[in-house]
Amino acid sequence: MTRILFLPDPHTLLWLEEEQPAEAILQALQRGEWLPPAPFHELPCADLRALQIEDMVLITRTAPRAVVQPYLPHLSRRQMEVLKGLAEGLTTRQIAYRLRISTRTVYLYVSDLKRRFDAGTRAELVRRAIIVLSSLRR
């Protein structure tokens, strides 16, 4: 079972599960064979980017060039852990519990990450981070 976090636009976040392994989903997306769920099924695969994080696949639309930062801001291990928790859809309290830090510290990390990725919301932060990370892995 593969979990898919699908961000078709800055205001929408869908959590999906598929029987296929993550690698098969990534390959289907590259071949243009992966179909997003309705009402997004008409989005062309060429406009989608995917990033695999362990057993999860993050899929987002390609952003206009002005939105994508040309480099990855230096992120600490802890910032990456908080970002991963956000990508998994965890709440502030759940992230704090998992990392054994206070909820206030999580808020500070999220605030700093939003600033670094020029994002207004958590969903937009995850979307932009996926775009930047996936462009560096190519």
Side-chain angles (χ1 to χ4, degrees), residues 73-124:
H74 174 72
L75 299 179
S76 69
R77 178 182 55 84
R78 195 58 112 184
Q79 288 170 321
M80 287 297 288
E81 291 170 342
V82 169
L83 189 56
K84 183 178 181 227
L86 292 173
E88 291 176 7
L90 299 180
T91 65
T92 300
R93 184 171 288 169
Q94 290 168 326
I95 294 170
Y97 180 79
R98 176 188 280 181
L99 302 179
R100 292 179 171 79
I101 58 177
S102 72
T103 55
R104 177 71 183 139
T105 302
V106 174
Y107 281 120
L108 291 173
Y109 277 120
V110 171
S111 177
D112 183 55
L113 287 165
K114 283 182 184 177
R115 182 186 56 76
R116 288 171 182 253
F117 285 93
D118 192 30
T121 65
R122 289 174 178 220
E124 187 177 12

CSV table of all heavy atoms in Angstrom, one decimal, residues 73-124:
chain,number,residue,atom,x,y,z
A,73,PRO,N,17.1,26.1,-0.1
A,73,PRO,CA,17.6,26.7,1.1
A,73,PRO,C,18.3,25.7,2.0
A,73,PRO,O,17.8,24.5,2.1
A,73,PRO,CB,16.4,27.3,1.8
A,73,PRO,CG,15.3,27.3,0.7
A,73,PRO,CD,15.7,26.2,-0.2
A,74,HIS,N,19.4,26.0,2.7
A,74,HIS,CA,20.0,25.1,3.6
A,74,HIS,C,19.0,24.7,4.7
A,74,HIS,O,18.5,25.6,5.4
A,74,HIS,CB,21.3,25.7,4.2
A,74,HIS,CG,21.9,24.8,5.2
A,74,HIS,ND1,22.5,23.6,4.9
A,74,HIS,CD2,21.9,24.9,6.6
A,74,HIS,CE1,22.9,23.0,6.0
A,74,HIS,NE2,22.5,23.8,7.0
A,75,LEU,N,18.7,23.5,4.8
A,75,LEU,CA,17.8,23.0,5.8
A,75,LEU,C,18.5,22.1,6.7
A,75,LEU,O,19.3,21.2,6.3
A,75,LEU,CB,16.6,22.3,5.2
A,75,LEU,CG,15.7,23.1,4.2
A,75,LEU,CD1,14.6,22.2,3.6
A,75,LEU,CD2,15.1,24.3,4.9
A,76,SER,N,18.3,22.2,8.0
A,76,SER,CA,18.8,21.3,9.0
A,76,SER,C,18.1,20.0,9.0
A,76,SER,O,17.0,19.9,8.4
A,76,SER,CB,18.8,22.0,10.4
A,76,SER,OG,17.4,22.1,10.8
A,77,ARG,N,18.7,19.1,9.7
A,77,ARG,CA,18.0,17.7,9.8
A,77,ARG,C,16.6,17.9,10.5
A,77,ARG,O,15.6,17.3,10.0
A,77,ARG,CB,18.9,16.8,10.7
A,77,ARG,CG,18.2,15.4,10.9
A,77,ARG,CD,19.1,14.5,11.8
A,77,ARG,NE,19.5,15.1,13.0
A,77,ARG,CZ,18.7,15.1,14.1
A,77,ARG,NH1,17.5,14.5,14.1
A,77,ARG,NH2,19.0,15.7,15.3
A,78,ARG,N,16.6,18.8,11.5
A,78,ARG,CA,15.3,19.0,12.2
A,78,ARG,C,14.3,19.7,11.3
A,78,ARG,O,13.1,19.3,11.3
A,78,ARG,CB,15.6,19.8,13.5
A,78,ARG,CG,14.4,19.8,14.5
A,78,ARG,CD,14.1,18.4,14.9
A,78,ARG,NE,14.5,18.2,16.3
A,78,ARG,CZ,14.3,17.0,16.9
A,78,ARG,NH1,13.9,16.0,16.2
A,78,ARG,NH2,14.7,16.9,18.1
A,79,GLN,N,14.7,20.6,10.5
A,79,GLN,CA,13.8,21.3,9.6
A,79,GLN,C,13.2,20.3,8.6
A,79,GLN,O,12.0,20.3,8.3
A,79,GLN,CB,14.5,22.4,8.9
A,79,GLN,CG,14.7,23.6,9.8
A,79,GLN,CD,15.6,24.6,9.1
A,79,GLN,OE1,16.6,24.3,8.4
A,79,GLN,NE2,15.3,25.9,9.3
A,80,MET,N,14.1,19.4,8.1
A,80,MET,CA,13.6,18.3,7.2
A,80,MET,C,12.6,17.4,7.9
A,80,MET,O,11.6,17.0,7.2
A,80,MET,CB,14.8,17.6,6.6
A,80,MET,CG,15.6,18.3,5.6
A,80,MET,SD,14.8,18.8,4.1
A,80,MET,CE,14.6,17.2,3.3
A,81,GLU,N,12.8,17.1,9.1
A,81,GLU,CA,11.9,16.2,9.9
A,81,GLU,C,10.6,16.9,10.0
A,81,GLU,O,9.5,16.3,9.9
A,81,GLU,CB,12.5,15.9,11.2
A,81,GLU,CG,13.7,14.9,11.2
A,81,GLU,CD,14.4,14.8,12.5
A,81,GLU,OE1,14.2,15.6,13.4
A,81,GLU,OE2,15.2,13.8,12.6
A,82,VAL,N,10.6,18.2,10.3
A,82,VAL,CA,9.3,18.9,10.5
A,82,VAL,C,8.6,19.0,9.1
A,82,VAL,O,7.4,18.8,9.0
A,82,VAL,CB,9.6,20.4,11.1
A,82,VAL,CG1,8.3,21.2,11.0
A,82,VAL,CG2,10.0,20.3,12.5
A,83,LEU,N,9.4,19.3,8.1
A,83,LEU,CA,8.8,19.3,6.7
A,83,LEU,C,8.2,18.0,6.3
A,83,LEU,O,7.1,17.9,5.8
A,83,LEU,CB,9.9,19.7,5.7
A,83,LEU,CG,9.4,20.1,4.3
A,83,LEU,CD1,8.4,21.2,4.3
A,83,LEU,CD2,10.6,20.5,3.5
A,84,LYS,N,8.8,16.9,6.7
A,84,LYS,CA,8.3,15.6,6.4
A,84,LYS,C,7.0,15.3,7.1
A,84,LYS,O,6.0,14.8,6.6
A,84,LYS,CB,9.3,14.5,6.7
A,84,LYS,CG,8.8,13.1,6.4
A,84,LYS,CD,9.9,12.0,6.7
A,84,LYS,CE,9.3,10.7,6.3
A,84,LYS,NZ,9.4,9.7,7.3
A,85,GLY,N,7.0,15.8,8.4
A,85,GLY,CA,5.7,15.6,9.2
A,85,GLY,C,4.6,16.4,8.5
A,85,GLY,O,3.5,15.9,8.5
A,86,LEU,N,4.9,17.6,8.1
A,86,LEU,CA,3.9,18.4,7.4
A,86,LEU,C,3.4,17.7,6.1
A,86,LEU,O,2.2,17.7,5.8
A,86,LEU,CB,4.4,19.8,7.0
A,86,LEU,CG,4.7,20.7,8.2
A,86,LEU,CD1,5.4,22.0,7.7
A,86,LEU,CD2,3.4,21.1,8.9
A,87,ALA,N,4.3,17.1,5.4
A,87,ALA,CA,4.0,16.4,4.1
A,87,ALA,C,3.1,15.2,4.4
A,87,ALA,O,2.3,14.8,3.6
A,87,ALA,CB,5.2,16.0,3.4
A,88,GLU,N,3.3,14.6,5.6
A,88,GLU,CA,2.5,13.4,6.0
A,88,GLU,C,1.1,13.9,6.5
A,88,GLU,O,0.3,13.0,6.8
A,88,GLU,CB,3.2,12.6,7.0
A,88,GLU,CG,4.4,11.9,6.5
A,88,GLU,CD,5.2,11.2,7.6
A,88,GLU,OE1,4.7,11.1,8.7
A,88,GLU,OE2,6.3,10.7,7.3
A,89,GLY,N,0.9,15.2,6.6
A,89,GLY,CA,-0.4,15.6,7.1
A,89,GLY,C,-0.5,15.7,8.6
A,89,GLY,O,-1.6,15.7,9.2
A,90,LEU,N,0.6,15.6,9.3
A,90,LEU,CA,0.6,15.6,10.8
A,90,LEU,C,0.2,17.0,11.3
A,90,LEU,O,0.6,18.0,10.7
A,90,LEU,CB,1.9,15.1,11.4
A,90,LEU,CG,2.4,13.7,11.0
A,90,LEU,CD1,3.7,13.4,11.7
A,90,LEU,CD2,1.3,12.7,11.5
A,91,THR,N,-0.4,17.0,12.5
A,91,THR,CA,-0.7,18.3,13.2
A,91,THR,C,0.6,18.8,13.9
A,91,THR,O,1.5,18.0,14.1
A,91,THR,CB,-1.8,18.1,14.2
A,91,THR,OG1,-1.3,17.3,15.2
A,91,THR,CG2,-3.1,17.6,13.6
A,92,THR,N,0.6,20.0,14.4
A,92,THR,CA,1.7,20.5,15.1
A,92,THR,C,2.0,19.7,16.3
A,92,THR,O,3.1,19.3,16.6
A,92,THR,CB,1.4,22.0,15.6
A,92,THR,OG1,1.2,22.8,14.4
A,92,THR,CG2,2.5,22.5,16.4
A,93,ARG,N,0.9,19.3,17.0
A,93,ARG,CA,1.1,18.5,18.2
A,93,ARG,C,1.7,17.1,17.9
A,93,ARG,O,2.5,16.6,18.6
A,93,ARG,CB,-0.3,18.3,18.9
A,93,ARG,CG,-0.2,17.5,20.2
A,93,ARG,CD,-1.5,17.6,21.0
A,93,ARG,NE,-1.6,19.0,21.5
A,93,ARG,CZ,-2.7,19.5,22.1
A,93,ARG,NH1,-3.7,18.7,22.2
A,93,ARG,NH2,-2.7,20.7,22.5
A,94,GLN,N,1.2,16.5,16.8
A,94,GLN,CA,1.7,15.2,16.4
A,94,GLN,C,3.2,15.3,16.0
A,94,GLN,O,4.0,14.4,16.4
A,94,GLN,CB,0.9,14.6,15.2
A,94,GLN,CG,-0.5,14.2,15.6
A,94,GLN,CD,-1.3,13.9,14.4
A,94,GLN,OE1,-1.2,14.5,13.4
A,94,GLN,NE2,-2.2,12.9,14.6
A,95,ILE,N,3.6,16.3,15.3
A,95,ILE,CA,5.0,16.5,15.0
A,95,ILE,C,5.8,16.7,16.2
A,95,ILE,O,6.9,16.1,16.4
A,95,ILE,CB,5.2,17.7,14.0
A,95,ILE,CG1,4.5,17.4,12.7
A,95,ILE,CG2,6.7,18.0,13.8
A,95,ILE,CD1,4.4,18.6,11.7
A,96,ALA,N,5.3,17.5,17.1
A,96,ALA,CA,6.1,17.8,18.4
A,96,ALA,C,6.2,16.5,19.2
A,96,ALA,O,7.3,16.2,19.7
A,96,ALA,CB,5.3,18.8,19.2
A,97,TYR,N,5.2,15.7,19.2
A,97,TYR,CA,5.3,14.4,20.0
A,97,TYR,C,6.3,13.5,19.3
A,97,TYR,O,7.1,12.9,20.0
A,97,TYR,CB,3.9,13.7,20.0
A,97,TYR,CG,3.9,12.4,20.7
A,97,TYR,CD1,3.9,12.4,22.1
A,97,TYR,CD2,3.9,11.2,20.0
A,97,TYR,CE1,3.9,11.2,22.8
A,97,TYR,CE2,3.9,10.0,20.7
A,97,TYR,CZ,3.9,10.0,22.1
A,97,TYR,OH,3.9,8.8,22.7
A,98,ARG,N,6.2,13.4,18.0
A,98,ARG,CA,7.2,12.5,17.2
A,98,ARG,C,8.6,12.9,17.4
A,98,ARG,O,9.5,12.1,17.6
A,98,ARG,CB,6.8,12.5,15.7
A,98,ARG,CG,7.8,11.7,14.9
A,98,ARG,CD,7.6,11.9,13.4
A,98,ARG,NE,6.5,11.0,13.0
A,98,ARG,CZ,6.1,11.0,11.7
A,98,ARG,NH1,6.7,11.7,10.8
A,98,ARG,NH2,5.1,10.2,11.4
A,99,LEU,N,8.9,14.2,17.4
A,99,LEU,CA,10.2,14.7,17.5
A,99,LEU,C,10.7,15.0,18.9
A,99,LEU,O,11.8,15.4,19.1
A,99,LEU,CB,10.4,16.0,16.6
A,99,LEU,CG,10.1,15.8,15.1
A,99,LEU,CD1,10.3,17.1,14.4
A,99,LEU,CD2,10.9,14.7,14.5
A,100,ARG,N,9.8,14.9,19.8
A,100,ARG,CA,10.0,15.1,21.3
A,100,ARG,C,10.5,16.6,21.5
A,100,ARG,O,11.5,16.8,22.2
A,100,ARG,CB,11.0,14.1,21.8
A,100,ARG,CG,10.5,12.7,21.9
A,100,ARG,CD,11.5,11.8,22.4
A,100,ARG,NE,11.0,10.4,22.7
A,100,ARG,CZ,10.7,9.5,21.8
A,100,ARG,NH1,10.9,9.8,20.5
A,100,ARG,NH2,10.3,8.3,22.1
A,101,ILE,N,9.8,17.5,20.9
A,101,ILE,CA,10.0,18.9,21.1
A,101,ILE,C,8.7,19.6,21.4
A,101,ILE,O,7.6,19.0,21.3
A,101,ILE,CB,10.7,19.6,19.8
A,101,ILE,CG1,9.8,19.4,18.6
A,101,ILE,CG2,12.1,19.0,19.6
A,101,ILE,CD1,10.3,20.1,17.3
A,102,SER,N,8.7,20.8,21.8
A,102,SER,CA,7.5,21.5,22.2
A,102,SER,C,6.7,22.0,20.9
A,102,SER,O,7.3,22.1,19.9
A,102,SER,CB,7.8,22.8,23.0
A,102,SER,OG,8.4,23.8,22.3
A,103,THR,N,5.4,22.2,21.1
A,103,THR,CA,4.6,22.6,20.0
A,103,THR,C,5.1,24.0,19.6
A,103,THR,O,5.0,24.4,18.4
A,103,THR,CB,3.1,22.7,20.3
A,103,THR,OG1,2.9,23.5,21.5
A,103,THR,CG2,2.5,21.3,20.6
A,104,ARG,N,5.5,24.8,20.5
A,104,ARG,CA,6.0,26.2,20.2
A,104,ARG,C,7.2,26.1,19.3
A,104,ARG,O,7.4,26.8,18.3
A,104,ARG,CB,6.4,26.9,21.5
A,104,ARG,CG,7.0,28.3,21.2
A,104,ARG,CD,6.0,29.3,20.7
A,104,ARG,NE,6.6,30.5,20.5
A,104,ARG,CZ,6.4,31.3,19.4
A,104,ARG,NH1,5.4,30.9,18.6
A,104,ARG,NH2,7.0,32.4,19.2
A,105,THR,N,8.1,25.1,19.5
A,105,THR,CA,9.3,24.9,18.7
A,105,THR,C,8.9,24.5,17.3
A,105,THR,O,9.4,25.0,16.3
A,105,THR,CB,10.2,23.9,19.3
A,105,THR,OG1,10.6,24.3,20.6
A,105,THR,CG2,11.5,23.7,18.4
A,106,VAL,N,7.8,23.7,17.2
A,106,VAL,CA,7.3,23.3,15.8
A,106,VAL,C,6.8,24.5,15.1
A,106,VAL,O,7.1,24.7,13.9
A,106,VAL,CB,6.2,22.2,15.9
A,106,VAL,CG1,5.6,21.9,14.6
A,106,VAL,CG2,6.8,20.9,16.6
A,107,TYR,N,6.0,25.3,15.8
A,107,TYR,CA,5.5,26.6,15.2
A,107,TYR,C,6.7,27.4,14.6
A,107,TYR,O,6.6,28.0,13.6
A,107,TYR,CB,4.7,27.4,16.2
A,107,TYR,CG,3.3,26.9,16.4
A,107,TYR,CD1,2.8,26.5,17.6
A,107,TYR,CD2,2.4,26.8,15.3
A,107,TYR,CE1,1.6,26.0,17.8
A,107,TYR,CE2,1.1,26.3,15.5
A,107,TYR,CZ,0.7,25.9,16.7
A,107,TYR,OH,-0.6,25.5,16.9
A,108,LEU,N,7.8,27.5,15.4
A,108,LEU,CA,8.9,28.3,15.0
A,108,LEU,C,9.6,27.7,13.7
A,108,LEU,O,9.9,28.4,12.8
A,108,LEU,CB,9.9,28.4,16.1
A,108,LEU,CG,9.5,29.3,17.3
A,108,LEU,CD1,10.5,29.2,18.4
A,108,LEU,CD2,9.3,30.7,16.9
A,109,TYR,N,9.7,26.4,13.7
A,109,TYR,CA,10.3,25.7,12.5
A,109,TYR,C,9.4,26.0,11.3
A,109,TYR,O,9.9,26.3,10.2
A,109,TYR,CB,10.4,24.2,12.8
A,109,TYR,CG,11.7,23.8,13.5
A,109,TYR,CD1,11.6,23.2,14.7
A,109,TYR,CD2,12.9,24.1,12.9
A,109,TYR,CE1,12.8,22.8,15.4
A,109,TYR,CE2,14.1,23.7,13.6
A,109,TYR,CZ,14.0,23.1,14.8
A,109,TYR,OH,15.2,22.7,15.5
A,110,VAL,N,8.1,25.8,11.5
A,110,VAL,CA,7.1,26.0,10.4
A,110,VAL,C,7.2,27.4,9.9
A,110,VAL,O,7.2,27.7,8.6
A,110,VAL,CB,5.7,25.6,10.8
A,110,VAL,CG1,4.7,26.0,9.7
A,110,VAL,CG2,5.6,24.1,11.0
A,111,SER,N,7.2,28.3,10.8
A,111,SER,CA,7.3,29.8,10.4
A,111,SER,C,8.6,30.0,9.6
A,111,SER,O,8.5,30.7,8.6
A,111,SER,CB,7.3,30.6,11.7
A,111,SER,OG,7.4,32.0,11.3
A,112,ASP,N,9.7,29.5,10.1
A,112,ASP,CA,10.9,29.7,9.3
A,112,ASP,C,10.9,29.0,8.0
A,112,ASP,O,11.4,29.6,7.0
A,112,ASP,CB,12.1,29.2,10.2
A,112,ASP,CG,13.4,29.4,9.5
A,112,ASP,OD1,13.7,30.6,9.2
A,112,ASP,OD2,14.2,28.4,9.3
A,113,LEU,N,10.4,27.8,7.9
A,113,LEU,CA,10.3,27.1,6.6
A,113,LEU,C,9.4,27.9,5.6
A,113,LEU,O,9.7,28.0,4.4
A,113,LEU,CB,9.7,25.7,6.8
A,113,LEU,CG,10.7,24.7,7.4
A,113,LEU,CD1,10.0,23.5,7.9
A,113,LEU,CD2,11.8,24.4,6.5
A,114,LYS,N,8.3,28.4,6.1
A,114,LYS,CA,7.4,29.3,5.3
A,114,LYS,C,8.1,30.4,4.7
A,114,LYS,O,8.0,30.8,3.5
A,114,LYS,CB,6.2,29.7,6.0
A,114,LYS,CG,5.1,28.7,6.3
A,114,LYS,CD,4.0,29.4,7.0
A,114,LYS,CE,2.9,28.5,7.4
A,114,LYS,NZ,1.8,29.1,8.2
A,115,ARG,N,8.9,31.1,5.6
A,115,ARG,CA,9.7,32.2,5.1
A,115,ARG,C,10.7,31.8,4.1
A,115,ARG,O,10.9,32.4,3.0
A,115,ARG,CB,10.4,32.9,6.3
A,115,ARG,CG,11.2,34.1,5.9
A,115,ARG,CD,12.0,34.6,7.1
A,115,ARG,NE,12.9,33.6,7.7
A,115,ARG,CZ,14.1,33.2,7.2
A,115,ARG,NH1,14.5,33.8,6.0
A,115,ARG,NH2,14.8,32.4,7.8
A,116,ARG,N,11.4,30.7,4.3
A,116,ARG,CA,12.5,30.2,3.4
A,116,ARG,C,11.9,29.9,2.0
A,116,ARG,O,12.5,30.1,1.0
A,116,ARG,CB,13.2,29.0,3.9
A,116,ARG,CG,14.1,29.4,5.1
A,116,ARG,CD,14.7,28.1,5.7
A,116,ARG,NE,15.5,28.4,6.8
A,116,ARG,CZ,16.8,28.3,6.8
A,116,ARG,NH1,17.4,27.9,5.7
A,116,ARG,NH2,17.5,28.6,7.8
A,117,PHE,N,10.7,29.3,2.0
A,117,PHE,CA,10.1,28.9,0.7
A,117,PHE,C,9.0,29.9,0.2
A,117,PHE,O,8.3,29.6,-0.7
A,117,PHE,CB,9.4,27.5,0.9
A,117,PHE,CG,10.4,26.4,0.9
A,117,PHE,CD1,10.9,25.9,2.1
A,117,PHE,CD2,10.9,25.8,-0.2
A,117,PHE,CE1,11.9,24.9,2.2
A,117,PHE,CE2,11.8,24.8,-0.2
A,117,PHE,CZ,12.3,24.3,1.0
A,118,ASP,N,9.0,31.0,0.9
A,118,ASP,CA,8.0,32.1,0.5
A,118,ASP,C,6.6,31.5,0.3
A,118,ASP,O,5.9,31.7,-0.7
A,118,ASP,CB,8.5,32.7,-0.8
A,118,ASP,CG,7.7,34.0,-1.1
A,118,ASP,OD1,7.3,34.7,-0.2
A,118,ASP,OD2,7.6,34.3,-2.3
A,119,ALA,N,6.1,30.8,1.4
A,119,ALA,CA,4.8,30.2,1.4
A,119,ALA,C,3.9,30.9,2.4
A,119,ALA,O,4.4,31.2,3.5
A,119,ALA,CB,5.0,28.7,1.6
A,120,GLY,N,2.7,31.0,2.1
A,120,GLY,CA,1.7,31.6,3.0
A,120,GLY,C,1.0,30.5,3.9
A,120,GLY,O,0.6,30.8,5.0
A,121,THR,N,0.9,29.3,3.4
A,121,THR,CA,0.2,28.3,4.1
A,121,THR,C,1.1,27.0,4.2
A,121,THR,O,2.0,26.9,3.5
A,121,THR,CB,-1.1,27.9,3.4
A,121,THR,OG1,-0.8,27.3,2.2
A,121,THR,CG2,-2.1,29.1,3.2
A,122,ARG,N,0.7,26.1,5.1
A,122,ARG,CA,1.4,24.9,5.2
A,122,ARG,C,1.3,24.0,3.9
A,122,ARG,O,2.3,23.4,3.5
A,122,ARG,CB,0.9,24.0,6.4
A,122,ARG,CG,1.3,24.7,7.7
A,122,ARG,CD,0.6,23.9,8.9
A,122,ARG,NE,1.1,24.5,10.1
A,122,ARG,CZ,1.4,23.8,11.2
A,122,ARG,NH1,1.3,22.5,11.2
A,122,ARG,NH2,1.8,24.5,12.3
A,123,ALA,N,0.2,24.0,3.3
A,123,ALA,CA,0.0,23.2,2.1
A,123,ALA,C,0.9,23.8,1.0
A,123,ALA,O,1.6,23.1,0.2
A,123,ALA,CB,-1.4,23.2,1.6
A,124,GLU,N,0.9,25.1,0.9
A,124,GLU,CA,1.8,25.8,-0.1
A,124,GLU,C,3.3,25.5,0.2
A,124,GLU,O,4.1,25.3,-0.7
A,124,GLU,CB,1.5,27.3,-0.1
A,124,GLU,CG,2.2,28.1,-1.2
A,124,GLU,CD,1.8,29.5,-1.2
A,124,GLU,OE1,1.2,30.0,-0.2
A,124,GLU,OE2,2.2,30.2,-2.2
